Amino acid sequence: MTPRHPSAEPFFLPTDAGTRFCLYHAPRATVRGALVYLHPFADEMNKSRRMAAMQARALSAQGIAVLQIDLHGCGDSDGEFADARWDQWKRDVEHACRWLHQRAGVQPGLWGLRLGALLALEYARSAAVKPAQLLLWQPVMQGAAFLTQFLRLRVAGAMLDDSVPATGTRELRAALASGEVLEVAGYELAPQLAAAIDAADGTALPPCPVIWIEVVAAPDRPLPPAASRIAATWGQQVSLHGAAGPAFWSTQEIEDHPELVALTCSLMEQRHE
Amino acid sequence: MSEQRAFSFACGGQWLYGVASVPAEPHQRGVLIVVGGPQYRAGSHRQFTLLARSLAAQGIAAMRFDYRGMGDSEGTLRNFEAVDDDLRAAIDTFMVQVPQLREVVLWGLCDAASAVSLYAAGDERVTGLALLNPWVRTDSGAAQATLKHYYRARLFDKSLWKKLFSGRFNARAAVRSFTGLLGSARQAPAAGALPDRMHDRLGRFTGRVLVMLSGADLTAQEFDGLPRASPKWSALMAAPRITRKMLPRADHTCSRREWKDQVALWTAEWLRSW
């Protein structure tokens, strides 16, 4: 049985270094905006894939074109994860923005989850053509803290495996600094990518309007103080919100967070009124 | 040089998405990689993307896709026992995308290995099954596997006791879970449970089967325990059409490069051996 609605458009986008898997959700109403989606890091991308697709479909239904791109060495895109570099990822974002601008006819913004949001922030600040807006889901603001958390996966793995000597994140950072590629939770992390993530900082004022949504455990929970503090320094440029539901990028099983999808749609609707 | 193709296809009124890695001159036997567990078509740590590329580099076309409710595909989340229509639609699409194909091998990890085992006998295009750590979970089977491979191995292991007494594990909870396991292990699984149904379906399937098991994985240990616990499983696994391979140190998803490469190599060798 063929669906009555059109399919999203999967394709491989040529870049300056190989092709990237993309999924284009054309606007299913008069076009009112466009977003390039930047996925999170390593297995967080895997776990959040369904939520990204659900949100992209919901946005396209209200006239917002969405282009999902798999960055170099991730998902279905060319390259090995060990070859992935932060600067190449920024060039991938540029390729995606250019394609989407041409196709949808409007200047695109960026929508990022976790480390994808940090990439969006850093890209926006240095881009020749500023993104129209940023939509941040649970953004990582300090790359260094994020890298430490990622390295802890390897520390925990070593605790459960008696044949591997115990290490801490400090030793792992030293190994990276000496040029070693580390295998962490099945991902080969190159020292160059680790160093760039370590140095990435999302806290400076972005050059365009920002919608920032934090996922909180329950409706009455306050937003994380760090998020409120940073958002306060951004002033009028940002609107910060909480959405109560599961941390779907890191849960054991695949989880839906329909409230986040609905909130995102309504905030995007207000912005494009 | 192989080519990557991305496409959508329909199933039950919804759109599914897939990617095929197609060599210039594909072998007549292709591999459909089916995703199990909480993953989408790239696999945990991109295992399935890398497997598909490795097979294509050796002349074997490989396709991956998200069934309804997973990854990019539409629909509500579904259980691995409700994906027959998705598998059939994916095989149809694979054969259209790669017209040189005459037959298809289904490749699955964990509950996808179970899903393809239940499906295969009903589709004559399927001539082989590659199963990595198949899921045959029952309470008693899981308890037996845990007791045998975890507790027995570790009971006399100094580092476990050190961890227990240094407070890294809660000793009282550990003892409670141990006695709970003893109880579950003594119960017989209910008739019509997953291992029974898998045995029935694999018994009807006449093609080749490659079983790959990880040594450091309770799911694999539970499957590996079936022939010891049941004569009919013992007879099935002894059949010459079934090949069994062990990766002694590997975890459930084969998360290290050397394990991923080994699995890809075994798959390609086995595919060309018949």
Side-chain angles (χ1 to χ4, degrees), chain A:
Chain A
M1 184 166 53
T2 304
R4 273 185 230 133
H5 58 279
S7 136
E9 203 179 309
F11 64 101
F12 284 92
L13 176 72
T15 73
D16 59 303
T19 65
R20 305 290 175 262
F21 176 83
C22 287
L23 187 58
Y24 178 56
H25 303 261
R28 280 155 69 179
T30 313
V31 59
R32 306 158 75 187
L35 289 171
V36 169
Y37 171 71
L38 302 179
H39 59 75
F41 192 67
D43 260 20
E44 290 188 359
M45 174 193 186
N46 210 327
K47 292 281 167 72
S48 56
R49 190 76 188 185
R50 173 171 158 80
M51 271 295 289
M54 289 190 343
Q55 183 67 70
R57 287 193 285 268
L59 287 170
S60 79
Q62 66 185 74
I64 292 164
V66 178
L67 182 68
Q68 290 180 253
I69 180 170
D70 292 0
L71 300 166
H72 183 226
C74 302
D76 294 309
S77 285
D78 274 357
E80 300 276 345
F81 193 82
D83 301 327
R85 298 291 180 271
W86 192 250
D87 283 338
Q88 179 62 51
W89 285 356
K90 286 189 189 168
R91 287 198 293 280
D92 290 354
V93 178
E94 192 177 339
H95 284 289
C97 286
R98 220 180 294 147
W99 185 94
L100 183 56
H101 189 182
Q102 234 168 27
R103 181 66 181 266
V106 293
Q107 180 59 36
L110 300 174
W111 157 34
L113 170 61
R114 301 274 294 147
L115 198 73
L118 181 55
L119 180 65
L121 284 162
E122 286 219 327
Y123 173 84
R125 273 188 220 110
S126 60
V129 183
K130 301 293 173 212
Q133 68 173 121
L134 296 178
L135 167 61
L136 309 178
W137 273 8
Q138 201 79 11
V140 169
M141 280 292 162
Q142 301 292 350
F146 179 82
L147 183 65
T148 301
Q149 282 172 3
F150 186 64
L151 294 177
R152 278 191 191 133
L153 294 175
R154 177 156 159 152
V155 175
M159 271 183 71
L160 296 173
D161 184 346
D162 297 329
S163 68
V164 180
T167 48
T169 55
R170 196 175 300 169
E171 287 94 328
L172 295 177
R173 276 173 190 274
L176 285 166
S178 73
E180 204 181 308
V181 173
L182 285 186
E183 207 168 23
V184 182
Y187 289 88
E188 289 167 304
L189 176 65
Q192 297 91 330
L193 179 62
I197 291 173
D198 217 5
D201 179 359
T203 56
L205 179 70
C208 56
V210 180
I211 294 170
W212 176 345
I213 308 177
E214 287 284 320
V215 171
V216 292
D220 53 352
R221 292 287 169 83
L223 291 166
S228 305
R229 209 161 45 234
I230 295 162
T233 69
W234 291 357
Q236 296 296 310
Q237 197 83 302
V238 63
S239 68
L240 174 64
H241 307 265
F248 56 88
W249 58 89
S250 64
T251 47
Q252 186 58 38
E253 296 300 319
I254 302 298
E255 302 244 19
D256 290 352
H257 189 340
E259 292 80 9
L260 176 59
V261 175
L263 175 66
T264 301
C265 284
S266 96
L267 292 169
M268 290 297 289
E269 187 77 30
Q270 288 163 29
R271 188 177 138 65
H272 290 281
E273 257 171 22

Side-chain angles (χ1 to χ4, degrees), chain B residues 170-217:
Chain B
N170 181 335
R172 194 171 299 174
V175 170
R176 227 183 358 249
S177 93
F178 181 76
T179 50
L181 282 171
L182 283 175
S184 301
R186 291 196 185 110
Q187 285 163 12
L194 183 57
D196 273 352
R197 281 179 289 135
M198 278 199 28
H199 182 274
D200 177 56
R201 299 300 294 168
L202 281 174
R204 284 166 204 255
F205 178 61
T206 53
R208 306 286 178 125
V209 183
L210 172 66
V211 177
M212 296 171 281
L213 299 175
S214 294
D217 173 38

Side-chain angles (χ1 to χ4, degrees), chain B residues 6-209:
Chain B
F7 41 82
S8 58
F9 57 100
C11 178
Q14 280 160 332
W15 289 111
L16 281 64
Y17 298 89
V19 173
S21 306
V22 187
E25 288 174 33
H27 195 278
Q28 65 162 9
R29 189 175 290 147
V31 178
L32 181 72
I33 299 169
V34 183
V35 176
Q39 304 169 21
Y40 86 112
R41 63 178 183 274
S44 335
H45 44 82
R46 277 184 110 210
Q47 181 179 10
F48 304 150
T49 301
L50 300 179
L51 174 63
R53 285 181 193 171
S54 163
L55 291 172
Q58 299 173 72
I60 298 159
M63 170 178 157
R64 302 167 287 118
F65 75 107
D66 297 327
Y67 51 69
R68 280 173 292 170
M70 282 300 294
D72 289 334
S73 295
E74 297 176 349
T76 48
L77 283 167
R78 63 187 47 237
N79 180 276
F80 72 94
E81 297 198 51
V83 295
D84 279 5
D85 292 346
D86 308 63
L87 291 171
R88 190 172 304 279
I91 295 169
D92 292 346
T93 305
F94 193 18
M95 298 198 96
V96 170
Q97 285 290 333
V98 189
Q100 295 93 332
L101 293 185
R102 293 287 163 271
E103 49 189 280
V104 171
V105 165
L106 302 181
W107 194 108
L109 162 66
C110 191
D111 56 17
S114 317
V116 299
S117 301
L118 295 171
Y119 174 86
D123 188 332
E124 60 186 15
R125 297 170 296 182
V126 179
T127 57
L129 292 174
L131 313 175
L132 176 58
N133 299 328
W135 172 265
V136 284
R137 177 57 45 90
T138 59
D139 286 348
S140 65
Q144 282 163 8
T146 308
L147 286 173
K148 184 163 188 307
H149 294 274
Y150 185 73
Y151 279 100
R152 194 180 294 173
R154 303 203 73 192
L155 225 44
F156 302 103
D157 168 6
K158 254 186 212 149
S159 70
L160 171 76
W161 293 103
K162 257 193 221 152
K163 280 181 189 176
L164 279 174
F165 289 114
S166 68
R168 278 199 249 174
F169 289 108
N170 181 335
R172 194 171 299 174
V175 170
R176 227 183 358 249
S177 93
F178 181 76
T179 50
L181 282 171
L182 283 175
S184 301
R186 291 196 185 110
Q187 285 163 12
L194 183 57
D196 273 352
R197 281 179 289 135
M198 278 199 28
H199 182 274
D200 177 56
R201 299 300 294 168
L202 281 174
R204 284 166 204 255
F205 178 61
T206 53
R208 306 286 178 125
V209 183

